Amino acid sequence: MNSLFKALNDETRRQIVDLLKERDMNAGEIAEEFNISKPSISHHLDILKRADLVTSEKKGQFIVYSLNTTILEDLIAWILTLKK
């Protein structure tokens, strides 16, 4: 859970999550949406992957990133237990 909160603590990573909410994208497509270097985008994607917020799949010469909604459902369920 700590890695999940760490991943969501950064504005760029939250923006990447928002982009992937709309559709699956490769790293180049994601990088086009930001004014930061491609290695920085890769670093953010790595943190999101380690937190299980994002999955990746190699398709041809590209790696396509997808939002992992299962981890978000787990987070929501945990937050709801705090209400009890």
Side-chain angles (χ1 to χ4, degrees):
M1 195 68 73
N2 287 341
S3 63
L4 178 62
F5 286 116
K6 178 184 175 186
L8 291 173
N9 190 40
D10 182 84
E11 177 67 25
T12 300
R13 292 191 285 272
R14 289 192 304 269
Q15 290 175 351
I16 292 171
V17 167
D18 280 340
L19 286 172
L20 293 175
K21 180 176 62 174
E22 301 301 321
R23 67 181 176 94
D24 297 349
M25 302 172 83
N26 64 49
E29 292 170 322
I30 294 168
E32 288 174 4
E33 301 291 326
F34 297 91
N35 283 331
I36 58 177
S37 69
K38 288 184 180 181
S40 291
I41 292 295
S42 292
H43 173 71
H44 287 298
L45 287 168
D46 184 54
I47 291 171
L48 290 169
K49 282 176 53 178
R50 283 188 275 142
D52 287 331
L53 278 165
V54 169
T55 60
S56 62
E57 180 182 350
K58 187 159 177 75
K59 292 186 179 177
Q61 58 180 295
F62 297 102
I63 297 175
V64 176
Y65 295 90
S66 304
L67 186 60
N68 179 8
T69 56
T70 303
I71 193 76
L72 295 173
E73 290 167 0
D74 292 345
L75 174 63
I76 291 167
W78 178 77
I79 289 172
L80 290 174
T81 66
L82 297 175
K83 218 177 151 184
K84 293 181 180 181

